[in-house]
Structure formats: C-alpha cells, structure tokens
Amino acid sequence: MAQALDIERWNLECEFNNSDHRTDLNGADRLIVRRGQVFTVSLYLRSGSYQPGISSLDFVAETGPQPSEQCGTRASFGLSASIDTSRWSAAVTSPPGDMVALSICSAPNAPIGRYTLTLGQSVRFELILLFNPWCAGDAVYLDNERSLEEYVLSQDGIIFQGSHKYPFPTPWNFGQFESGILDVCLRILDSNPKYLRDPSKDCSGRSNPVYVSRVLSAMVNCNDDQGVLMGKWTGGYEGGVSPMFWRGSMEILRNWDTQACQPVRYGQCWVFAAVACSVSRALGIPCRVVTNFLSAHDVNSNLVIEQYIDEDGKLIQSREMIWNYHCWVESWMTRPDLNRSEFNGWQASDPTPQEKSDGVYCCGPVPVRAIKEGELMFKYDAPFVFAEVNADVRTIMRKKDHSTSEVIYSSAVGKNISTKSVGSDSREDITHLYKYPEGSVEEREAFKKADHKNKMLQQQQNYGLHLTIKVSSEMRIGCDFDVFAVVTNNTQSEKKCRLVFGSRAVSYNGFLGGNCGIKDLLNVELAPGGMRKVSLRLNFSKYGALVTEDNLIRLEALLVDYTTREATLAVRNIVLESPEIKVRILGEPKENRKLAAELTLKNPLPEPLENCCFSIEGANLTGGSILSERLGSAVGPGEDAKVKIYFTPTHSGLRKLVVDFDSNKLSHVKGYRNVIIAK
C-alpha cells in the first residue's frame, strides 16, 4: 500500500535552478524556471524515509485565478520512475533516505506565468514559469547559442535611426533582468482587456507565444487599454518627456507600474519597439528591434501611397506618408496555426499605434517569410506590413486652378531594413528577408500574389530630364553647408526649365516644419546632353531654430519642362550629425568595484549651451538607476562639457554603458561605451 511522505521542510534550490534555467540575473530569492526543463527541489522528511514503489506523492500545478485541466491551467500528476519532458512530471533522483531529491518538469507547452505547486498535503510553493527557447519542444525553440545570447539574454542593444543613406546606431538598455522588471511584465499580461474579460481563457492562451506577442503589441501602447506608453508625434511634450529622453526600457516599465498603470508619456516607434523587445525577452521569447527605412504608412490598403505637392514642389500633408524610418520587433516562434512550416521563424509585430486590427491598435505577429512571398492572407495584418516595405508611391501636383497632373518621381520604399548583428554592434541588413531583389522574377511573383497591380505595371523609364540631389560629405549640426540639385538633359534637344530647390525641417515620421532655405530659378537652360549643378546653402542661423530633435532636413527639387509641361520631383532627407560623446572608464572594471565614467562633449554650435546635463545607465552597471550630473555653468562655442559620474558594476561580463547629453540648444545626444567587467 502506498505511503504518503511526511515532509518537514523543503528547499527550492533557487540559486542552482535559476542558474541552470538561465534566469539567475533575475536574482536567486525565488524560483524562476523555463518550461519543458527539469528543476530540482529538496525535501527533508520528519519521519520515515523514501521507499521506491511504496512512498507516494501527489502534485498539483496551477496558474491563473480559475485553474482548470480543460484550459491547461491546472495539471495533476504523481511520482514517475523517470521524468517525461513532454508533460508535467516528477521523479525522485536520490537514494532511499530522509532527504529526497525531487526532479520536476513542466510541459513544454504549459501556459507561462505565476504558478502555485502543491506537493501532498503539506507543501505549497510558488514559481514563475517562462518560455524556453533552449527546449526543442517549445514553440520558441531557437537552435543557435549565439543567437540566444543576443536575442534572449542580452540586456542592451543598438537601434538604428537616421536615414537609409546614413543609418546611425542608438544604444538602448533593455534591462529585462533588472530588479522588479519581470513582475512588471507579468502585470502587463494581467492588465490586458482579454484577461479582464475572461481570465481563464487568457491564461490558457499564454501557452502560445503567437497569442502573447499579439497581446504585447496591443499593451505596449495605451490606445485601447491600460497600456504602457502614450504616443505623441506633433506639438510639445507637456505632461511628459520627449521620446528622445529615454535611454532604456527600465524606467518606462517601472513608471507605468508605480503610477497605477497610467500610460507613460511619451513614446515614438523606436521606444514602443524597444519596450516590446524588453518584455518579450523577459518572458523568454527571442526578440529583436528592426528598422525599416523609408517606411510607407498605407491607410486605405491599396498598396499605393498617394502624395500631393503644390506648384512649388512643397508636399501637402496627408495621413498617407512615408516615414523616414519606422521600428518594429521580430519574435522567433513556430506558426502551427498557419499549417505552413516555411512560415516558422521570425514574426513581425508592431506595437506603435497606427491602424486598428480586429478593432484594437495592434499589428502582427505575421511571418516575415509571408511578407517576402506576397502571401497576404496569413495572420496577422500582412497587407499593412507588406505595404510598409513594398508600397508604390504616386505623386500628383495640385495646381492653383484645382487641376492635377502626375509627377515623375522614382521613390523606393523599404530600404536597408536593419537590426543589430549577433555578437557585435554592427548593422545587419535584413532587407532580403522581407523582399526579393528588385526586378527579379521572384519579386514579380510576390507582387502577383499580393495583387500589387501598380508595381506590376511599373517599368523603368529613362526620362529625358534627370534630376538628383547630392549632398556634402560632412553635415554636422551647428555648421553651414551646401547641398546640390543636379539636372541632366538626356534628350537631343535644348531644354528650358524652371527649378525650385527647397529645404524644410521634418520629423522622422514625415511631419513637415519650417523653410530652411529655397531657390527658385525660372530660366534653367540645358543643351542636349548638358548638365547643371545648382547649390543651396543651408545656414545654421536659419535651420537651427527649425529642426526637431530628429535633426532631419527634407530637400525637395522640382523641375518643370516648359515645352512638355512635365514635372519631375527629387526628394532626399538628410541627417545632421550630432557631436560625439567621448567616454573614458577610470579604474579597474571589476564586480562590486567603484568606477568613474569621464564624459566629454565639444559644443559644435556657434552659441553657448546652458543647463547641460549628462546621464548614464546600464544593465548591471548603475544599480538599476539613471545617474545624472549637471554642469554648473554654460559651455561656450567650441568648448568642452565634461563631467565624471561614479558607478559600481554588480555582474561580470560584457556590458553597455548608455550615455545621454541634454541642454537648452542641443537635445538628447546619445553615446555608449562597451565595458568588460571582470569577476
């Protein structure tokens, strides 16, 4: 007859288990394990000893407020002779005696979240269960150790901003293992409207990373729910801070948590994506931030962006726009719901609130491979993402007499799609994962499937008049510099044209600001085969007060042929280069040893900088805090702003110290330094 074990006390072996499950950076004060992987519990008996075949022990694992076996949120099991990693199971691994070493394994498809595990009548303890990309039975399994190191365990990274011709790296502190962040991530799941409507069904859905990713896509923005971030793209940032202010996700997540789930103000696309990446990695889903340069926002799902300009070539603002860049996330998982194995792998989802999906501001996840193949019927939101990287651009001139005419404008959408390389800070170009080479047979096939008629009809034409914009090699904030419109006459006849060459401040998502300089030449004459180069001087005294924190200027050149009345447009966005922050680490970088970061920035402006402040943060470097140092006096033109900030690293390994400089005239300049911390 089976005899129940008389248990006096137990040890969850948190330090060993958390290390074995790669959750040790969350701390060792509680049990945090990954699904489908064995963990160990030590039982100490009050009386008797464990006897194989005679001693018995019943287990119940439960998650959510209404656990049930039908929903997969409750599992009952007993002792087995050996562990079965395909389901909840337990086995004794120690010889008979008064100490019992117990191995327990969760199912590889168990819902993630907080669990209560009951052993017999007397033992009851809590644990947190996460996705397990190291487990072959888990839907997020990724069979590459270096990729896992980057996409799950790395607490810092690089997000690419700027322009497709000048993508520049911005450091970001994901901080997914910092104190309290995992609890905030679980609270995000418990605050989502699906949980509030039907907690049993929602907790059951947490077994599926597709479901969890879609929930996160909605919950990182606050448009329909108690989401984390409020977006703002126009006007000032009253009641909050500029999206440029943020250096990492940690402060955003903590602010949301401590402010009773009120949205943190404000975010823009890279902030939404970075926070979604932090939460995904914290929960165990391999995730990376992706930047799409020249990203189309197609409102009416016709895969065409219709732009209108006036007779001076100025863009007339509308909801359909091409963003200079747009960031989203990719998460790694299988897609059994689509019944197509080639759609396993990277899935794109976008937490920036742009358009509604199923009545909610969310987007994805959609297989990146489906976008490449033009397979737009597969869940979720494939047409919107396909348009972001493939939409056609049609430019129409709206004249004063209200008539319109088509403008010749060759514009590409979806250029230099970028993410941080595995194991280094360099840029990996992943455009080939989203689209076939332009003009290839495969590209034509994908457009056919996507019913992308405009692209199918398009043919490369060598128009008689060719117009391009060229720029200087150095375009630094604070400097004056020239840009050029170059007109070439490829015809056999003389041409007489009007050329309007203008510049305007622009935000990264296409909102236009003030005029930074313009030339209107009414009589440009070109001999057959001739070329004319027209310069436009951009002076800091003019553009300095107009450019936004994005440091972007839109150059527009419009050429009108007086003979044919044909209009040709060329557009180019330029990024003004910010000064470099020099970072020196003073002292020997060792665990729990105080170091100093010496930070220096030279004022590039022809005017003094006031209210100068440097800030640093870094996972396992700054104690989960942002450390700041304000300068006591103004910094004159060409002078150095310089401070020392002290910090104490808590963990060894390669870490990234993220630096921010802010002042009244030069906002949120970013820099970083990789530091190897010894034990």
Side-chain angles (χ1 to χ4, degrees):
M1 183 182 161
Q3 291 181 353
L5 291 174
D6 182 16
I7 302 164
E8 182 182 19
R9 58 189 176 88
W10 57 92
N11 185 341
L12 300 182
E13 310 293 353
C14 294
E15 195 166 332
F16 170 79
N17 286 320
N18 290 8
S19 176
D20 194 43
H21 285 243
R22 299 172 179 86
T23 63
D24 47 316
L25 284 173
N26 286 299
D29 56 333
R30 57 185 173 164
L31 188 58
I32 304 170
V33 293
R34 298 188 185 275
R35 59 187 196 172
Q37 184 176 335
V38 172
F39 61 94
T40 302
V41 174
S42 299
L43 305 178
Y44 297 90
L45 304 183
R46 185 179 289 107
S47 61
S49 62
Y50 169 73
Q51 299 297 324
I54 297 172
S55 303
S56 71
L57 191 57
D58 295 321
F59 299 78
V60 178
E62 296 178 311
T63 186
Q66 299 155 2
S68 77
E69 291 186 7
Q70 187 184 356
C71 292
T73 50
R74 184 180 194 273
S76 305
F77 53 102
L79 282 174
S80 309
S82 61
I83 288 290
D84 179 352
T85 55
S86 68
R87 59 180 183 86
W88 282 93
S89 60
V92 173
T93 55
S94 57
D98 59 0
M99 194 287 279
V100 180
L102 205 55
S103 287
I104 303 171
C105 187
S106 63
N109 61 349
I112 61 149
R114 297 182 193 278
Y115 274 78
T116 300
L117 198 54
T118 306
L119 283 60
Q121 300 298 311
S122 56
V123 179
R124 190 181 173 88
F125 60 83
E126 292 181 352
L127 60 88
I128 293 173
L129 189 67
L130 304 177
F131 290 110
N132 191 355
W134 286 269
C135 169
D138 197 309
V140 299
Y141 176 58
L142 177 55
D143 187 19
N144 185 307
E145 197 56 45
R146 288 184 70 240
S147 295
L148 288 163
E149 196 69 42
E150 182 70 54
Y151 300 134
V152 182
L153 299 180
S154 181
Q155 294 199 78
D156 47 54
I158 296 288
I159 298 169
F160 289 94
Q161 295 175 289
S163 72
H164 78 282
K165 287 186 183 283
Y166 180 59
F168 64 79
T170 299
W172 192 268
N173 179 25
F174 293 113
Q176 69 269 28
F177 300 124
E178 292 281 22
S179 177
I181 295 301
L182 179 56
D183 296 290
V184 180
C185 297
L186 295 173
R187 187 177 187 186
I188 289 170
L189 296 182
D190 287 349
S191 302
N192 97 79
K194 291 177 180 177
Y195 176 85
L196 300 175
R197 274 197 304 271
D198 189 343
S200 183
K201 189 178 177 185
D202 178 76
C203 287
S204 176
R206 295 180 194 180
S207 62
N208 183 357
V210 176
Y211 177 84
V212 172
S213 293
R214 192 152 169 81
V215 165
L216 292 181
S217 167
M219 280 301 294
V220 169
N221 71 70
C222 69
N223 286 40
D224 315 278
D225 43 46
Q226 287 188 297
V228 177
L229 273 163
M230 183 180 288
K232 199 169 197 301
W233 284 268
T234 54
Y237 299 112
E238 299 80 20
V241 296
S242 156
M244 290 279 187
F245 169 84
W246 308 111
R247 293 154 294 267
S249 309
M250 215 167 39
E251 189 180 5
I252 295 167
L253 290 167
R254 283 184 179 152
N255 286 356
W256 176 81
D257 185 48
T258 56
Q259 293 164 13
C261 307
Q262 291 300 302
V264 177
R265 302 163 190 249
Y266 293 101
Q268 288 173 6
C269 72
W270 72 94
V271 186
F272 287 107
V275 170
C277 184
S278 295
V279 178
S280 299
R281 289 184 185 182
L283 298 176
I285 301 173
C287 191
R288 63 187 185 184
V289 176
V290 166
T291 304
N292 177 39
F293 289 99
L294 298 176
S295 190
H297 185 153
D298 179 24
V299 172
N300 56 10
S301 302
N302 67 348
L303 304 179
V304 179
I305 302 296
E306 293 189 335
Q307 290 188 148
Y308 288 86
I309 61 169
D310 65 16
E311 288 178 277
D312 294 328
K314 286 182 186 167
L315 185 69
I316 299 164
Q317 205 86 56
S318 73
R319 273 195 74 208
E320 289 209 322
M321 289 191 286
I322 298 170
W323 294 27
N324 200 48
Y325 65 86
H326 181 53
C327 298
W328 58 74
V329 291
E330 289 178 358
S331 307
W332 183 272
M333 63 194 70
T334 58
R335 290 300 300 267
D337 57 317
L338 303 182
N339 295 314
R340 292 269 295 268
S341 61
E342 68 267 33
F343 290 159
N344 295 340
W346 289 116
Q347 313 290 319
S349 56
D350 189 350
T352 300
Q354 295 179 91
E355 300 297 323
K356 286 191 173 186
S357 170
D358 294 337
V360 175
Y361 279 100
C362 66
C363 178
V366 60
V368 172
R369 181 70 185 272
I371 301 303
K372 183 173 183 174
E373 301 297 341
E375 299 273 15
L376 305 193
M377 302 307 290
F378 290 90
K379 289 181 174 179
Y380 291 90
D381 310 307
F384 187 80
V385 180
F386 183 87
E388 287 183 305
V389 299
N390 279 312
D392 188 25
V393 182
R394 190 167 165 241
T395 305
I396 299 152
M397 183 185 286
R398 195 177 276 162
K399 299 175 183 173
K400 289 184 180 119
D401 64 3
H402 304 299
S403 66
T404 59
S405 62
E406 194 97 14
V407 176
I408 299 163
Y409 175 46
S410 57
S411 168
V413 159
K415 300 283 278 186
N416 287 5
I417 304 174
S418 304
T419 192
K420 178 187 176 295
S421 295
V422 171
S424 87
D425 290 336
S426 60
R427 185 180 71 87
E428 182 184 351
D429 193 305
I430 57 170
T431 311
H432 64 284
L433 298 182
Y434 281 84
K435 49 212 284 192
Y436 285 104
E438 275 188 37
S440 66
V441 176
E442 294 93 340
E443 184 198 43
R444 301 284 106 189
E445 283 301 310
F447 288 159
K448 249 186 224 168
K449 283 186 213 160
D451 199 22
H452 198 352
K453 293 188 180 73
N454 261 61
K455 280 279 189 188
M456 292 298 297
L457 295 171
Q458 255 190 354
Q459 289 176 356
Q460 284 302 106
Q461 295 177 34
N462 188 12
Y463 297 110
L465 286 170
H466 186 64
L467 177 65
T468 57
I469 295 172
K470 303 283 185 188
V471 298
S472 309
S473 56
E474 289 195 345
M475 298 177 289
R476 292 194 299 270
I477 187 90
C479 294
D480 301 340
F481 56 90
D482 291 316
V483 291
F484 307 92
V486 181
V487 188
T488 312
N489 180 7
N490 295 321
T491 72
Q492 302 301 309
S493 54
E494 192 173 294
K495 289 286 185 184
K496 194 178 268 192
C497 311
R498 177 192 180 202
L499 175 68
V500 186
F501 189 18
S503 58
R504 296 169 78 181
V506 65
S507 64
Y508 86 95
N509 64 325
F511 278 95
L512 295 165
N515 167 28
C516 300
I518 190 167
K519 262 187 184 175
D520 191 350
L521 305 180
L522 296 172
N523 197 9
V524 176
E525 294 185 358
L526 291 156
M531 189 262 281
R532 176 90 184 266
K533 190 176 185 180
V534 176
S535 67
L536 178 66
R537 187 78 168 164
L538 294 181
N539 296 306
F540 175 74
S541 58
K542 184 86 180 274
Y543 74 72
L546 297 173
V547 293
T548 69
E549 294 173 325
D550 298 316
N551 282 353
L552 285 169
I553 295 175
R554 176 185 167 98
L555 306 176
E556 302 163 323
L558 178 71
L559 187 71
V560 180
D561 182 338
Y562 284 131
T563 309
T564 64
R565 308 306 301 167
E566 264 187 354
T568 305
L569 180 72
V571 173
R572 181 165 176 176
N573 287 344
I574 58 170
V575 185
L576 301 172
E577 200 177 331
S578 291
E580 180 193 3
I581 302 175
K582 290 181 177 159
V583 184
R584 279 180 67 213
I585 303 298
L586 309 177
E588 190 183 356
K590 273 192 164 184
E591 261 185 29
N592 302 312
R593 181 173 291 185
K594 196 176 192 182
L595 298 173
E598 184 185 77
L599 312 172
T600 312
L601 176 140
K602 180 175 277 192
N603 177 9
L605 306 187
E607 49 198 45
L609 299 177
E610 295 174 358
N611 303 323
C612 299
C613 181
F614 285 96
S615 301
I616 63 169
E617 72 171 272
N620 308 132
L621 291 176
T622 58
S625 303
I626 293 159
L627 308 177
S628 299
E629 193 69 42
R630 196 170 286 280
L631 274 72
S633 56
V635 178
E639 290 181 3
D640 283 347
K642 194 170 186 176
V643 299
K644 272 185 199 167
I645 303 181
Y646 292 90
F647 64 100
T648 305
T650 52
H651 287 83
S652 61
L654 179 63
R655 304 286 175 226
K656 192 175 257 86
L657 188 72
V658 178
V659 184
D660 176 271
F661 172 83
D662 194 28
S663 68
N664 65 328
K665 296 277 173 69
L666 198 59
S667 296
H668 302 301
V669 179
K670 299 288 190 290
Y672 70 94
R673 175 72 183 264
N674 290 331
V675 190
I676 297 172
I677 307 297
K679 275 200 174 293

